[in-house]
């Protein structure tokens, strides 16, 4: 479970990054629901849940053990908290990287699973929207550089979701596996269009919270 300050800092950074690099960009993905597969054989035995890291804003000197932040903000106790992994996923966006965090929120009967990791180099997000026994996948790729008048469209070509249970209440731990693929189409005026076949897949274990 991650401290609120960690989540807040990531959100503020990503909002700022998006505003700086993606003004004028249009993104879109179709909404097509698929059935959730309930696999009661998935057990809560994931070793990644015992591993942790520090916030990306924190730097630890291995020789002295001292912590410093990579900005001008004062160091607080929350900065040195152990941020336990809630996912063990991988994506090939930007050449490929691990995604170790998944967060689950419920609002008006819809559960949203949000996957992201790798700040400040990697800022993409991936979403699963679950309603009843169905769901859909939505990617949001974010890159370090901005190309004027660039437009990105997504077409989801595969979406599979396994959960260990059919129903969850606030406070429960959601355990499952996601396997999603999509085609990213990047269009730039006078430079043409390029397509990339991308994916997100792996396991996750995260606590369901109420949307605030």
């Amino acid at each position: 479970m991650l401290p609120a300050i960690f989540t807040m800092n990531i959100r503020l950074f990503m909002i700022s990054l998006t505003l700086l690099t993606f003004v004028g960009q249009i993104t879109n993905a179709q909404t097509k629901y698929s059935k959730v597969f309930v696999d009661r054989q998935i057990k809560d035995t994931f070793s990644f849940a015992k591993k942790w890291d520090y916030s990306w804003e924190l730097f630890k000197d291995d020789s002295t053990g001292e912590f410093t932040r990579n900005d001008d903000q004062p160091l607080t106790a929350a900065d040195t908290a152990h941020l336990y992994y809630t996912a063990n996923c991988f994506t090939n966006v930007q050449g490929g990287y691990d995604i170790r965090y998944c967060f689950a929120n419920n609002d008006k009967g819809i559960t949203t699973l949000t996957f992201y990791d790798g700040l400040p180099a990697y800022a993409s997000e991936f979403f699963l929207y679950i309603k009843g026994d169905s769901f859909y996948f939505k990617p949001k790729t974010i890159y370090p550089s901005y190309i004027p008048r660039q437009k990105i469209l997504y077409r989801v070509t595969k979406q599979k979701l396994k959960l260990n249970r059919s129903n969850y209440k606030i406070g429960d731990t959601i355990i499952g596996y996601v396997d999603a693929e999509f085609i990213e189409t990047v269009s730039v005026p006078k430079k043409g269009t390029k397509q990339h076949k991308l994916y997100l897949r792996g396991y996750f274990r995260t606590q369901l919270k109420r949307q605030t």
Side-chain angles (χ1 to χ4, degrees), residues 29 46 56 59 66 82 125 151 158 167 169-170:
F46 298 134
W56 66 274
F59 173 76
E66 294 183 355
H82 293 178
E125 294 181 289
K151 181 172 69 173
K158 177 182 180 180
N167 293 290
K169 62 180 183 296
I170 301 300

Side-chain angles (χ1 to χ4, degrees), residues 4-22 55-58 69-71 94 97 116-125 140 142-145:
I5 189 171
F6 173 71
T7 304
M8 180 182 68
N9 286 341
I10 281 186
R11 287 297 181 189
L12 289 174
F13 174 85
M14 295 189 75
I15 290 173
S16 299
L17 180 63
T18 301
L19 291 175
L20 287 172
T21 61
F22 284 87
S55 167
W56 66 274
E57 300 166 319
L58 195 68
R69 288 178 57 95
N70 58 18
D71 53 26
Q94 284 184 256
Y97 64 98
Y116 54 81
D117 195 5
L119 289 172
Y122 306 101
S124 296
E125 294 181 289
K140 181 181 179 182
I142 299 176
Y143 299 100
S145 60

Side-chain angles (χ1 to χ4, degrees), residues 119-183:
L119 289 172
Y122 306 101
S124 296
E125 294 181 289
F126 307 91
F127 306 91
L128 293 174
Y129 297 95
I130 306 170
K131 184 177 182 180
D133 62 353
S134 301
F135 81 100
Y136 69 91
F137 170 76
K138 182 178 180 180
K140 181 181 179 182
T141 52
I142 299 176
Y143 299 100
S145 60
Y146 167 68
I147 300 176
R149 299 171 63 192
Q150 173 180 269
K151 181 172 69 173
I152 298 181
L153 300 176
Y154 308 105
R155 179 166 62 88
V156 177
T157 56
K158 177 182 180 180
Q159 54 182 14
K160 292 184 178 181
L161 176 63
K162 291 183 180 181
L163 298 178
N164 66 325
R165 289 164 50 185
S166 58
N167 293 290
Y168 300 91
K169 62 180 183 296
I170 301 300
D172 286 347
T173 298
I174 300 180
I175 299 172
Y177 177 81
V178 58
D179 184 0
E181 298 177 1
F182 62 99
I183 295 176

